[in-house]
Amino acid sequence: MSDVPEARAAPPAAARVLTAWHRVECLVAVVCFTFIAVILVLDVLGREFVGPVLNFLGIDVGPTGIFASQRLSIYALVLGAFAGIGIATATGSHLVPRVGFGWVPKAWGPTMDRLADVLTGCFLLGVTYYGFKFVESSFSIDLRAPVLDWSVWPFQLAIPLGFLSAACRYFAYALWPALRPGLPEFQE
């Protein structure tokens, strides 16, 4: 019998929650990046094709691009990118530094993996705290987006929520190692 404590089996509800959570983050990312692609393509088509054609025909329609399309794209990028932190954690597709691999006996691997998950989760909770402080400062001074005049803090919330998502996943992986995604076969 091994000296490593047996990993508790993951409750089916935990696996279902993590799967649903992953799907929601994927949906957010897909919607955000689809929005970016569509709005920027339409903006360019309006400015570079529709506007010149209408001007050539003698029809003055004024500006033909989409108002604030680049600014809207930036906010969608923030939302999509920070949803990507949770997606990368859920799929095991983030970069894994190989420093320290092999420093401990192979038999300690499962225990070290759990310890690494707890430490990573704690680190990400620290980052989450400072992310919320950042959002709080924007909220307290009512920081507004140029051009759109929207409060920016709702968009900035994606920052700490992305890190919190990853932290919670790491804690779930520490509790139930069977839920942890495998390491990719190779890193680039």
Side-chain angles (χ1 to χ4, degrees):
M1 193 158 161
S2 166
D3 292 334
V4 178
E6 272 304 309
R8 291 184 295 187
R16 283 193 305 272
V17 166
L18 289 180
T19 299
W21 185 354
H22 177 63
R23 285 186 179 144
V24 167
E25 285 177 325
C26 287
L27 178 66
V28 168
V30 166
V31 167
C32 288
F33 289 112
T34 300
F35 172 80
I36 292 168
V38 168
I39 197 168
L40 289 179
V41 166
L42 290 176
D43 181 52
V44 169
L45 285 175
R47 282 185 292 111
E48 303 297 331
F49 179 71
V50 174
V53 167
L54 291 176
N55 284 335
F56 178 76
L57 296 173
I59 304 170
D60 183 21
V61 292
T64 52
I66 296 176
F67 175 73
S69 63
Q70 294 171 356
R71 181 76 48 192
L72 293 169
S73 295
I74 289 171
Y75 290 120
L77 178 63
V78 169
L79 297 176
F82 282 94
I85 294 172
I87 294 168
T89 302
T91 59
S93 59
H94 47 59
L95 295 176
V96 178
R98 296 281 183 190
V99 175
F101 277 49
W103 286 2
V104 296
K106 192 170 183 90
W108 294 5
T111 302
M112 295 306 291
D113 287 344
R114 291 176 99 174
L115 178 62
D117 289 340
V118 169
L119 292 175
T120 303
C122 289
F123 173 78
L124 290 170
L125 278 183
V127 174
T128 299
Y129 170 78
Y130 286 105
F132 278 120
K133 296 300 280 181
F134 172 67
V135 173
E136 178 186 37
S137 70
S138 294
F139 176 79
S140 67
I141 63 172
D142 194 28
L143 186 62
R144 304 192 75 74
V147 180
L148 297 169
D149 196 39
W150 295 351
S151 290
V152 296
W153 70 266
F155 298 98
Q156 292 174 339
L157 264 178
I159 298 168
L161 292 178
F163 288 115
L164 180 61
S165 170
C168 291
R169 273 197 179 82
Y170 277 108
F171 290 134
Y173 300 158
L175 278 173
W176 305 295
L179 295 177
R180 181 186 306 111
L183 289 173
E185 290 184 32
F186 62 90
Q187 297 281 330
E188 294 190 49

